[in-house]
Amino acid sequence: MGLFNDFTQIQNQRSYRGDWEALLKRGQDVFSSQGLPTRSNEDWKYTSTKILKDETFASSLLATAPTTNLQVQISPLKTAAHFVFVNGHFMSNLSQTNPSVTIQTISQLATSNETSLLTEIEQLKQTVSATSDSLDALNEAYLGAGLALLVKAETKLDHPIRLTFYSDLFSGPALATHPKMLVKVGSRSSVQVIEEYVGQEGARYFNNTQADVVVEDSAKLVHVRVQNDSLQAVNVGRTRFFLKSNSNLHVLAYSSGARLSRHNNDIHFIEPGASAKMDGLYLTAGAQHVDNHTFIDHKVGNCQSYQHYKGILVDQSRAVFNGRVLIRQDSQKAYSEQLNNNLLLSSQAEIDTKPQLEIFADDVKATHGSTVGELNEEEVFYLLSRAIPRDQALAMLSLGFVQELVLKLENPELETWLSSLLTEAWKRIRK
Amino acid sequence: MSDAKTSLQDTEYKYGFVTEIETDAVQKGLSEEIIRLISKKKNEPEWMLEYRLKAYKHWLTMVEPTWAGVKYPKIDFQDICYYSAPKKQSEKALENKPQSLDDLDPELIKTFERLGIPLQEQKRISGIAVDVVFDSVSIGQTHTEELEKAGVVFCSISEALHKYPDLVKKYLGSVVPYSDNYYACLNAAVFTDGSFCYIPKGVRCPIDLSTYFRINAKDTGQFERTLIVAEEGSYVNYLEGCTAPQRDENQLHAAVVELIAHERAEIKYSTVQNWYTGDKEGRGGIYNFVTKRGKCAGAHSKISWTQVESGSAITWKYPSVILQGDHSEGAFYSVALTHDYMQADTGTKMIHIGKNTKSTIISKGISTGHSSNAYRGLVKIMPTAENARNYSQCDSMLVGDKCSAHTFPYIEVKNKSAVLEHEASTSRISEDQIFYLQSRGLDMESSISMLVNGFCKEVFKELPLEFSVEAVKLIEMKLENSVG
């Protein structure tokens, strides 16, 4: 057992109050009774949590905070605000603030018993009967890392707000960090948020992330989740969005790091008129395992969702895609599209994909599709016949295949940044 | 369009009658004794009894599956009668005499006439050989002579156990082992009858074969077993139909169908399933929990499943194909229509093992009333399946705002040369389409019926002609009164 039982130590060390203390207790109770999910659980059919059981993790909350002169190796990007966590600890000296954005760390909120955003989100979760599993409970059981972020109404930022969770080569035991993010994007504002997980190469750690994002009416949010953890790390997480009337969301979930990665991406339409694009990219090699579970909940009518996940797999890596779309009763005029395309570049790679539609309203349109295949030899030949070396031809075709989703962001800065991440990832997986 | 939303309230189930016939039934309940009794009544060889008991012991260790998206009260397996046979028949079975249709109880013959299968007629005129299974036993086959001439064996499985024990022993449980799943295991323990069909090497079965299943007696479960073996280069077209009387209680039907296609053999299996669906409030009806699986054992073999599922309170079946032989092909064509409180969870599994194997899945679901209709399928490409190809298409149509439609396609690919495409869509009949047809003088009912039939056409065209006509009629009948 990966030592997820030092709960009393957490409780003794932290003096959380009111609802926050209740949340911590709830998480500890639920996790103690359920334990890590097993493959007999339908949602974990293709993904084993065995490595979490085999390895011993120490809570990063109990570990010593990193020194302030630490250098964080992340790819540069112009930002409107930047908040950096290293091994779960907030580094104010590395962070950059913005007057339109207020932040408070979870520990600050919990010790001062400031609950307004927490209560709002917990209520929303209840109204949509949000799905959660024992890893969400584990996140709460180790409550402490992360932050609450409020974007004021009518804020327009030219550059993204970047949240970086960095893990370095910690000298002690492998660390487990359970960041929690509560985000609210005010009415009529338009911002980009980057939720980023990066690790120093060779670092062994476990990130179990949870982000709840409320997009207020008529707001526009571009949310990019980048999972570029070290290849020895494990990253599991859930991002949950609540979309209010006429809001607009474009989310891109990118996974290339970690030996085991699992991301739950949930969108709940809670007021009519909203629309969401949910895209995902994954590039894996070696023995990597990447699992993407998406859930689009058309709780109310007149909302549109467009989903597209694409992945490239080499070596004996394995990808899982499970896309669930639920159109509830009376959610009339809902529109939903879903597509999953996979490129297998090695004979040992494996893909398990399951697009899933559950429809309880009749005046709706919903489609889904998925494809699996290798590169088209004719396309490769076309490039070869134009004197492009094979390696380069493969790179052009494969990167072109995934870059489509980056271009959809229609944001040159993010495009350049993500394209460089893709190129790096491609170099790594092709070795 | 609001008219179209009224559920299929008044659709009469025209096969809901009960035949007053004396039956020989064992007491309710399931135990080793009952299994021994069934085996004894059927005068089975020792190894068959052993197989049954082995299955029963394994079944006791299993738990009822709950993963399917269907809801029903827990089944009391001790409250089911596992053997019921029309009296005259069962005496015959004991004496193990060859059965001829002329010996049948006249009541029984009338029943089948009402069902639209005049056995006497069929015997002479129509081009289909029929095996009729009434409750637990097979009551007669037609066209035996013609089949014998071709060397085709078509008889009840009980008869086959006596006449061709080696064949049955070799193939029974070879595709669906007794330990496969909860209901298949129960079936292996208590199955009472079913059809056996053997097509020798190189024979193209001269006529279509057909089985007709009927559950008559109260509190009876029907556990039939069908086994079809197509030897090298042979071909057979097999049809299956089912009905049951209208009763307030639920009745269980847990059948197992196994198909084996050797090199270059082809089996086409078509089902029109019209078990009693329960009444408008969802009371009664058949639980249709069926395991159907075919194995393309040899190279270039083909198996296709075509089904029209329009009956049963709950349908839970996944006709599957194991594509073992190189270049083998599997196909699944399905129309599932649900109304009132029916629940259907159906789909297929295509397991690609051999090289250059190909599979096609076309599934059409139509939900009306308060019903729920799900497609659940698996396409699995094993590492050995070089150049496997799959095409899947699952379309759902919703009529009314109280029904639901779901798709759960599982795709597992372990070979990079595989090419897979899956697509699905859900929509309702558009008001434009209705308006277009109505403006041409069709009434609402005919318009909907025409649109639904058009929606299902891709599947209906795979059915043999007589079945295709029956299917179109059946869908029309079910859709009757679905509109104001």
Side-chain angles (χ1 to χ4, degrees):
Chain A
M1 181 66 197
L3 255 194
F4 298 121
N5 50 13
D6 46 353
F7 295 149
T8 39
Q9 241 179 308
I10 298 284
Q11 251 169 310
N12 293 342
Q13 202 221 26
R14 305 256 144 179
S15 46
Y16 293 158
R17 292 168 52 202
D19 288 353
W20 291 97
E21 194 191 2
L23 189 69
L24 182 87
K25 284 238 174 72
R26 181 182 76 185
Q28 299 184 343
D29 291 345
V30 172
F31 187 78
S32 305
S33 69
Q34 293 181 359
L36 289 167
T38 60
R39 292 181 65 172
S40 58
N41 179 337
E42 180 68 16
D43 276 343
W44 290 82
K45 185 174 154 74
Y46 297 114
T47 301
S48 159
T49 53
K50 193 172 171 291
I51 45 178
L52 288 177
K53 287 196 180 100
D54 293 349
E55 197 143 341
T56 306
F57 295 102
S59 165
S60 64
L61 291 181
L62 303 172
T64 32
T67 52
T68 45
N69 57 7
L70 182 108
Q71 289 293 308
V72 175
Q73 303 146 357
I74 53 170
S75 59
L77 176 71
K78 209 178 231 178
T79 54
H82 192 184
F83 305 102
V84 180
F85 289 77
V86 175
N87 300 341
H89 296 267
F90 181 59
M91 311 293 284
S92 54
N93 63 311
L94 297 173
S95 300
Q96 163 213 356
T97 55
N98 187 298
S100 304
V101 180
T102 40
I103 68 137
Q104 271 183 297
T105 63
I106 295 292
S107 345
Q108 280 167 356
L109 292 170
T111 35
S112 62
N113 200 18
E114 165 57 57
T115 55
S116 55
L117 189 52
L118 177 73
T119 314
E120 187 184 337
I121 284 173
E122 286 298 313
Q123 267 165 7
L124 285 175
K125 273 158 77 174
Q126 245 170 28
T127 43
V128 301
S129 353
T131 42
S132 63
D133 53 30
S134 61
L135 285 158
D136 293 283
L138 186 66
N139 177 287
E140 284 159 5
Y142 283 100
L143 191 73
L147 81 175
L149 190 152
L150 276 167
V151 178
K152 287 184 187 136
E154 311 205 7
T155 303
K156 298 224 168 14
L157 296 176
D158 293 336
H159 303 296
I161 302 166
R162 189 177 189 184
L163 309 176
T164 301
F165 291 87
Y166 185 79
S167 302
D168 72 349
L169 275 169
F170 186 70
S171 53
L175 291 180
T177 307
H178 306 268
K180 185 178 182 68
M181 278 146 283
L182 303 172
V183 181
K184 187 159 148 177
V185 181
S187 308
R188 296 175 300 285
S189 48
S190 169
V191 293
Q192 300 129 33
V193 172
I194 295 171
E195 176 195 342
E196 177 190 33
Y197 302 92
V198 199
Q200 209 172 342
E201 203 36 65
R204 301 181 83 82
Y205 55 92
F206 169 42
N207 271 336
N208 176 21
T209 80
Q210 202 186 59
D212 288 292
V213 182
V214 183
V215 186
E216 289 287 339
D217 61 287
S218 308
K220 191 169 186 268
L221 170 68
V222 174
H223 186 106
V224 181
R225 186 188 194 261
V226 172
Q227 186 276 103
N228 230 343
D229 273 319
S230 116
L231 292 173
Q232 280 69 43
V234 175
N235 185 308
V236 300
R238 187 188 296 277
T239 320
R240 211 186 263 125
F241 297 92
F242 299 94
L243 302 191
K244 296 207 177 161
S245 63
N246 303 316
S247 60
N248 186 304
L249 169 73
H250 190 157
V251 44
L252 175 68
Y254 167 86
S255 306
S256 174
R259 61 189 156 142
L260 168 66
S261 139
R262 154 78 175 230
H263 183 225
N264 279 74
N265 211 352
D266 302 354
I267 292 180
H268 298 278
F269 290 105
I270 52 172
E271 285 175 15
S275 98
K277 284 192 195 119
M278 182 197 264
D279 295 332
L281 287 173
Y282 41 94
L283 288 91
T284 56
Q288 276 185 288
H289 182 114
V290 53
D291 179 344
N292 278 295
H293 266 62
T294 69
F295 176 38
I296 298 207
D297 172 16
H298 284 265
K299 188 172 187 296
V300 295
N302 287 297
C303 291
Q304 289 110 43
S305 63
Y306 307 83
Q307 219 185 133
H308 199 173
Y309 268 68
K310 288 187 134 185
I312 302 179
L313 286 83
V314 300
D315 301 338
Q316 57 275 33
S317 64
R318 187 169 173 193
V320 179
F321 174 76
N322 187 97
R324 176 174 172 223
V325 174
L326 170 68
I327 299 183
R328 302 201 203 195
Q329 200 165 343
D330 302 325
S331 296
Q332 301 296 3
K333 309 275 177 205
Y335 182 87
S336 168
E337 273 179 21
Q338 186 190 62
L339 191 58
N340 173 229
N341 304 121
N342 296 284
L343 195 54
L344 294 187
L345 295 183
S346 111
S347 43
Q348 288 108 45
E350 177 176 344
I351 168 80
D352 301 301
T353 167
K354 183 175 133 214
Q356 176 181 341
L357 282 176
E358 288 168 58
I359 295 169
F360 294 89
D362 65 333
D363 190 7
V364 302
K365 268 216 170 102
T367 61
H368 71 198
S370 62
T371 63
V372 179
E374 53 186 338
L375 277 181
N376 187 335
E377 264 313 308
E378 275 178 40
E379 290 170 12
V380 178
F381 177 78
Y382 179 89
L383 294 175
L384 292 182
S385 71
R386 270 142 192 84
I388 294 167
R390 192 171 176 90
D391 263 7
Q392 206 181 328
L394 290 182
M396 282 168 82
L397 290 169
S398 307
L399 282 171
F401 173 77
V402 283
Q403 239 152 3
E404 178 197 347
L405 299 184
V406 172
L407 297 177
K408 262 171 75 182
L409 290 171
E410 291 178 355
N411 178 322
E413 255 177 56
L414 284 177
E415 260 169 44
T416 323
W417 183 63
L418 286 165
S419 297
S420 71
L421 291 186
L422 281 176
T423 316
E424 258 173 60
W426 172 256
K427 274 187 205 147
R428 174 180 72 79
I429 64 174
R430 290 300 294 177
K431 272 192 289 295
Chain B
M1 193 60 209
S2 68
D3 296 344
K5 283 182 184 158
T6 349
S7 64
L8 296 150
Q9 294 293 319
D10 303 313
T11 314
E12 285 280 330
Y13 184 68
K14 75 173 192 185
Y15 307 108
F17 56 87
V18 181
T19 309
E20 293 305 328
I21 202 163
E22 259 193 287
T23 54
D24 167 36
V26 298
Q27 71 196 75
K28 280 184 187 177
L30 181 56
S31 64
E32 213 176 296
E33 286 80 76
I34 292 283
I35 292 167
R36 283 181 194 278
L37 189 64
I38 292 173
S39 189
K40 200 175 154 216
K41 271 184 187 292
K42 305 185 80 63
N43 202 10
E44 286 177 349
E46 189 58 28
W47 62 265
M48 195 61 241
L49 176 64
E50 275 166 28
Y51 181 84
R52 287 173 181 274
L53 292 174
K54 207 157 61 177
Y56 175 65
K57 283 194 187 110
H58 187 77
W59 182 76
L60 290 174
T61 66
M62 295 174 98
V63 260
E64 219 175 317
T66 51
W67 47 263
V70 293
K71 291 184 201 82
Y72 56 93
K74 212 168 159 48
I75 299 172
D76 182 357
F77 289 95
Q78 297 304 334
D79 196 35
I80 294 172
C81 168
Y82 288 88
Y83 182 84
S84 162
K87 200 122 203 187
K88 283 191 174 175
Q89 196 55 36
S90 100
E91 282 156 13
K92 286 223 156 289
L94 265 179
E95 291 158 29
N96 196 26
K97 274 186 192 163
Q99 299 154 5
S100 106
L101 283 172
D102 303 328
D103 295 341
L104 285 179
D105 188 323
E107 271 296 308
L108 203 63
I109 294 178
K110 257 190 240 158
T111 304
F112 285 103
E113 272 164 16
R114 289 176 73 180
L115 290 169
I117 317 177
L119 294 176
Q120 303 289 355
E121 283 298 299
Q122 294 232 5
K123 205 164 72 168
R124 288 185 295 270
I125 306 159
S126 78
I128 302 172
V130 185
D131 179 14
V132 180
V133 179
F134 194 86
D135 284 342
S136 301
V137 292
S138 171
I139 52 169
Q141 295 87 33
T142 59
H143 284 85
T144 25
E145 271 173 44
E146 199 176 343
L147 291 173
E148 266 168 29
K149 232 185 275 167
V152 174
V153 176
F154 182 43
C155 62
S156 76
I157 200 130
S158 329
E159 200 183 329
L161 271 168
H162 295 285
K163 285 192 179 164
Y164 316 98
D166 294 344
L167 277 176
V168 178
K169 199 174 175 180
K170 182 172 172 195
Y171 290 109
L172 190 83
S174 69
V175 185
V176 181
Y178 68 83
S179 55
D180 191 79
N181 68 64
Y182 192 77
Y183 294 103
C185 189
L186 177 64
N187 176 289
V190 302
F191 77 86
T192 40
D193 220 328
S195 306
F196 173 74
C197 169
Y198 178 81
I199 326 289
K201 192 172 164 180
V203 170
R204 196 180 163 87
C205 190
I207 44 176
D208 293 349
L209 304 182
S210 169
T211 303
Y212 209 89
F213 296 109
R214 168 93 182 157
I215 299 179
N216 188 61
K218 204 178 164 189
D219 301 327
T220 311
Q222 193 178 43
F223 304 93
E224 85 270 354
R225 189 124 196 157
T226 303
L227 178 59
I228 301 177
V229 182
E231 284 290 356
E232 200 180 318
S234 64
Y235 170 88
V236 63
N237 197 359
Y238 195 91
L239 324 172
E240 177 198 86
C242 350
T243 59
Q246 209 157 342
R247 294 188 191 279
D248 281 346
E249 304 83 22
N250 296 102
Q251 284 177 292
L252 177 65
H253 173 249
V256 171
V257 177
E258 294 176 282
L259 313 181
I260 295 115
H262 289 287
E263 209 177 311
R264 290 191 316 283
E266 183 174 353
I267 304 177
K268 278 183 124 162
Y269 195 103
S270 310
T271 308
V272 172
Q273 185 262 105
N274 190 22
W275 295 115
Y276 176 50
T277 59
D279 67 7
K280 287 163 231 159
E281 271 78 47
R283 273 191 306 259
I286 300 285
Y287 292 161
N288 189 29
F289 300 163
V290 175
T291 309
K292 292 185 167 181
R293 194 174 304 156
K295 182 151 100 184
C296 284
H300 297 277
S301 54
K302 278 185 199 170
I303 288 180
S304 88
W305 297 100
T306 308
Q307 57 172 25
V308 176
E309 297 289 319
S310 64
S312 298
I314 301 176
T315 301
W316 188 354
K317 70 182 243 194
Y318 313 94
S320 313
V321 185
I322 300 169
L323 297 155
Q324 198 179 54
D326 294 348
H327 304 275
S328 58
E329 280 178 40
F332 174 75
Y333 303 98
S334 165
V335 166
L337 173 76
T338 55
H339 57 81
D340 295 317
Y341 285 88
M342 283 165 70
Q343 305 173 58
D345 197 294
T346 182
T348 184
K349 286 195 222 172
M350 293 289 173
I351 316 286
H352 292 252
I353 301 169
K355 292 183 181 64
N356 303 310
T357 46
K358 223 167 104 175
S359 61
T360 309
I361 300 170
I362 309 243
S363 164
K364 307 273 179 181
I366 303 141
S367 332
T368 68
H370 290 83
S371 67
S372 113
N373 200 332
Y375 167 82
R376 191 186 300 272
L378 167 71
V379 177
K380 190 170 189 167
I381 314 285
M382 302 302 277
T384 46
E386 287 292 325
N387 299 317
R389 183 87 178 83
N390 164 267
Y391 174 76
S392 309
Q393 187 191 339
C394 315
D395 296 325
S396 310
M397 186 183 269
L398 292 150
V399 185
D401 56 4
K402 300 280 183 293
C403 52
S404 59
H406 315 294
T407 36
F408 305 90
Y410 292 76
I411 298 163
E412 302 178 15
V413 182
K414 295 176 204 261
N415 188 307
K416 71 161 181 163
S417 61
V419 178
L420 276 95
E421 289 160 82
H422 172 93
E423 54 186 52
S425 73
T426 302
S427 56
R428 65 167 183 174
I429 298 180
S430 86
E431 287 175 29
D432 288 351
Q433 288 169 325
I434 298 270
F435 178 77
Y436 180 88
L437 292 173
Q438 280 188 314
S439 72
R440 268 143 191 83
L442 272 84
D443 60 14
M444 177 69 96
E445 208 172 283
S446 335
S447 313
I448 292 191
S449 164
M450 187 176 270
L451 289 168
V452 168
N453 271 315
F455 177 72
C456 303
K457 204 169 176 178
E458 274 173 280
V459 174
F460 287 165
K461 74 176 196 315
E462 295 297 327
L463 285 168
L465 186 65
E466 347 33 291
F467 257 41
S468 175
V469 174
E470 194 185 329
V472 171
K473 275 217 182 113
L474 193 63
I475 300 286
E476 263 169 21
M477 192 183 88
K478 295 251 166 182
L479 283 169
E480 248 169 53
N481 307 310
S482 74
V483 290

